[in-house]
Every structure is written in C-alpha cells, then in structure tokens.
Amino acid sequence: MNIRELILDMLLQMEAAGTYSNLLIRNVLDKYDYLEGKEKAFLKRVTEGTVERRIQLDYVLDHYSKVPVKKMKPLIRCLLRMSVYQLLFMDGIPDAAVCNEAVKLAGKRKFGQLKGFVNGVLRSIARNKEQMEKIYPDRKQEPLEYLSVVYSMPEYLVSMWLGEYGPERTERMLQAMLAVHPVTVRLRQDSGGTGAGSGVPSGTDSLLQRIRKAGTEVQPHPYLDYAYCLTHLEGIRHVPGFEEGLFTVQDVSSMLAVECAGIRQGDFVLDICAAPGGKGTHAAERLCGTGRVLCRDVSAEKTALIRENVERLGLENVETEVYDGRAYDQALHEKADVVLADLPCSGLGILGKKRDIKYNVTPESLQELPKLQKELLETAWRYVKPNGALIYTTCTIHREENEEICRWFLENHPFEAESIDGFLKKVPEKATAKDGYLQLLPGIHETDGFFIARFVRKGQ
C-alpha cells in the first residue's frame, strides 16, 4: 500500500465531491486498519495538514510556480499541496524523499510529461524554505493578508474577528486553531450533584492505569474533575474502557453546558438537537437513574448515533426520537425542567478539529443561520416549565449567532438571563458569566470555541 497515493486520492475526493476530511479520514483508517501505527499517523497528519494549511500552501505555490494553482490539473494541484506541506511542516522527512516520491506519483498517475514541472517547483521551495517568511505579506503594512496567509484563514473571517476581538486575541485564536488538539473524554459519572467538578467517577485510577498501559498519554483537564485529555492514540475504539462504556468523547465546553443546566435528580430534560448525544447522555448521568432525558434530532441517521452512545454507556433513562425541532409538539407543552438547545451554527469555534468548515462557510451563510436559530428557539421555549431553564449553546465564535441571539430572545420571550458564575468555578476569563452567558474562545480558554447561555422562564 502506497500511503502517499492513498493521501492523494483522499485529497482528490475532497476536492471533487466536497467530502469532509474528518469523515473521510475516519473511514479510510477503518478500511485500512491493518496499517502500522506510524503509517496511520503519517496519513492522518499529511491529509489534515494539507487541508488545514491550504491557503498558505497555495500562496507558496503561486510564488514558485509559473502555473497558478487554480489553473493546475486537480491531481497535480493536490500532489503539490501535500508535498509542500511535508517540506514546510514535517522536518523528519528528507526533502529529497518528498520530491522523489511526488515525481514518482506523477508518473504513475499518467502525468509523466509534468514530472519535470513537479520536480522543479518542489526543489525550488525546498531550497528556499528557510527564508519563506520573506515571501509572505508584510505584517505591518498588510496585517489582514498576513494573518490570512500565515494562519490559512479566509480574509473575511480574519477581518470579522479583528473587529470583534481585536488583533491580540484574534491571533491567539488563529494560533490555537492550527495547534494539535488532544482527544477530550468524559468519564462516566457514578454520582450526581450540580456544580463544576462534582460527580467524580469511581474506579477512575484503575481505568487511567489501563489507558496509560496501552500507550496512550492521559492528562486531567483543569476545568472538570471527570474530564481528561488523551494523546498518542490510534483510534478511540482501541482505548481501554471505550467499548465498556466507561467514557465517551466530548469537549469540555459541551460538558460545561450541562453543568450550567443545574440538573437535579428527577428532572425531565429535553435535548432538541441532540446528535451525537454528548450532552444528552451527560444529563442522564447527572440524573443518577432518576427522571428521564428525551433526545431528538432531525434524521434517523443522527438519532442512530445517539442510540449507539446511549447503549454503549448503559443508560436506561434516555429516549431517542426523530423529530424536527421547528415543529411544535403540544404534548410537551411546559413539561421540561431543562431544555438543551445546542443549535445548528457556523461551527467557527471548532475549526481546529473540522478543518473544512472555513472553506465552506460564506458571508451569506453567516447571515442565514441566525434565522434558523430563532425559528428553533421560537418552538423550544414553549417546552420549558415556569422556573425551568433553557440552555442555549453553539460551537461558534460569531456574535450574531451568540450574543445577538440572546438579546433578541430576552426581549421577546418570558425569560430572564441567570448567572452561570457559580457553575464555572475553575474556568478563567468568565467576565460575562454573571450576565448569564459565556463565550469560550480557542487560545483563550482550554476548550473549543463555544457559547453557553442560561435562560430561566419566569414563574406564573
């Protein structure tokens, strides 16, 4: 199996069919599970890195190639991108090996007439890679273009964040989006209670020992006692304890949303956009076998993901239903103690994990998403009991989908914002928590970019 050829085919499929890289990589690794760990790691890193750094790679290629990237044949374009990524960001691979393998692949894929072109471009870049900063836009004179190229982020997004967060925070966020991210897991909680840091699972030490013995590094997360960061793992299903339901993959930002819900034993919790089930199963664990959680999502495919997690975790107080959150269900009118509303959003807070999002989001789509969020909230609030809570969350760092939605909601519905400060004792930089919401930022907080707001329905 030629790993580089496999990577090339994956990049071509992404370009032609718009397949998301995280899904394609997962499927390919499952298909070729017999590959050695080093080969899997190489495939994953080069594929993800090539997608993630595309803007920067194209800028470099346009500087050294007489043929603009946009006019190249798709195979040659993808081949050069993945090769330049190796030259610039993978010091352990000899430059000569990168160039030679690319030339061989061009010939093997019937582009023998372009072998000289491929070789010339790559060797020019290899000779000049130590001085690559000289070709980038000037940081002082062209700060917007500089940040866009160096951090491979579309200019309109950089411009938006500069206006909302300022230059220092924006660059810290951009740096964090390119950083290597560990897999964050939530250990199954055997006890309940509310407030950050409660519910430490029993048997934690023995489970962590098993995971470490298998070669995976484990570090506790600073915000929650039952959250851990895993590195050096080939796949989550191979980690001891996963198939037994002793933990599940979930970012800490999502765990904090459930903490802020203040769930109590006996509550009825409704999760209206629940897939893949992280918050819904977390809520069920907080109920300690009492009450119930109803997880809904719009398709059978999504609810199947929820059921898979529910069954693996061995939870008996969770129901799943296919249901469009925009359609009102009279049977649930004012029945829920807590409604979890993690609504569809632009996903700009998770660009470090889903690298394709930045190329697919458009200024137009950013204008349309708040309309869908409002439509879903217009239905969801009616399910909340008087004095019950609605937890509004998104995985974005876009104010029109976050703070502006909060302002609109409170102005037009019988709810008030309630402080979440008491639920976030270990989270730094929580200045707005007393106002009932928190914007978590990559590079500022040790989580994904995520927004959490707590609304309480006024009593009758």
Side-chain angles (χ1 to χ4, degrees), residues 25 188 203 214 225 234 335 407:
I25 291 170
R188 188 173 67 195
D225 294 338
E234 290 186 15
K335 292 291 196 299
R407 181 186 57 78

Side-chain angles (χ1 to χ4, degrees), residues 433-449:
K434 288 184 172 58
D435 298 322
Y437 72 91
L438 179 70
Q439 176 68 75
L440 297 163
L441 299 172
I444 310 300
H445 300 93
E446 296 187 46
T447 66
D448 288 339

Side-chain angles (χ1 to χ4, degrees), residues 58-76:
D58 287 0
Y59 185 91
V60 172
L61 282 167
D62 279 337
H63 185 83
Y64 287 97
S65 169
K66 294 181 180 179
V67 179
V69 172
K70 291 182 179 179
K71 293 187 178 181
M72 292 177 182
K73 298 288 186 182
L75 185 140
I76 297 300

Side-chain angles (χ1 to χ4, degrees), residues 12 59 76 90 129 189 210 264 289 397 412 418 452 456:
L12 283 167
Y59 185 91
I76 297 300
M90 298 183 72
K129 66 178 184 178
Q189 295 171 262
R210 289 172 58 197
R264 296 169 294 186
I397 51 178
N412 294 279
E418 184 172 79
I452 305 170
V456 174

Side-chain angles (χ1 to χ4, degrees), residues 347-361:
L348 297 178
I350 55 173
L351 295 183
K353 294 179 178 176
K354 297 187 177 180
R355 295 153 183 84
D356 318 74
I357 291 175
K358 59 186 174 184
Y359 306 121
N360 297 321
V361 170

Side-chain angles (χ1 to χ4, degrees), residues 155 310 433:
E155 283 192 17
V310 169

Side-chain angles (χ1 to χ4, degrees), residues 165 169 172-173 176 181 221-223 251-253 256 397 424 426-432 438-450:
Y165 298 108
R169 283 201 164 197
R172 287 175 65 182
M173 290 180 351
H181 299 275
H221 195 282
Y223 295 171
D251 192 73
V252 168
S253 57
L256 290 173
I397 51 178
L424 304 168
K426 295 185 180 181
V427 180
E429 298 215 18
K430 49 176 182 162
T432 60
L438 179 70
Q439 176 68 75
L440 297 163
L441 299 172
I444 310 300
H445 300 93
E446 296 187 46
T447 66
D448 288 339
F450 203 82

Side-chain angles (χ1 to χ4, degrees), residues 391-444:
I391 308 300
Y392 174 69
T393 58
T394 70
C395 58
T396 191
I397 51 178
H398 180 216
R399 287 187 175 173
E400 289 189 24
E401 299 175 72
N402 295 335
E403 290 95 329
E404 290 301 311
I405 290 290
C406 289
R407 181 186 57 78
W408 163 83
F409 185 79
L410 293 171
E411 289 177 354
N412 294 279
H413 301 86
F415 284 75
E416 57 188 4
E418 184 172 79
S419 173
I420 57 176
D421 188 62
F423 301 102
L424 304 168
K425 295 176 182 177
K426 295 185 180 181
V427 180
E429 298 215 18
K430 49 176 182 162
T432 60
K434 288 184 172 58
D435 298 322
Y437 72 91
L438 179 70
Q439 176 68 75
L440 297 163
L441 299 172
I444 310 300

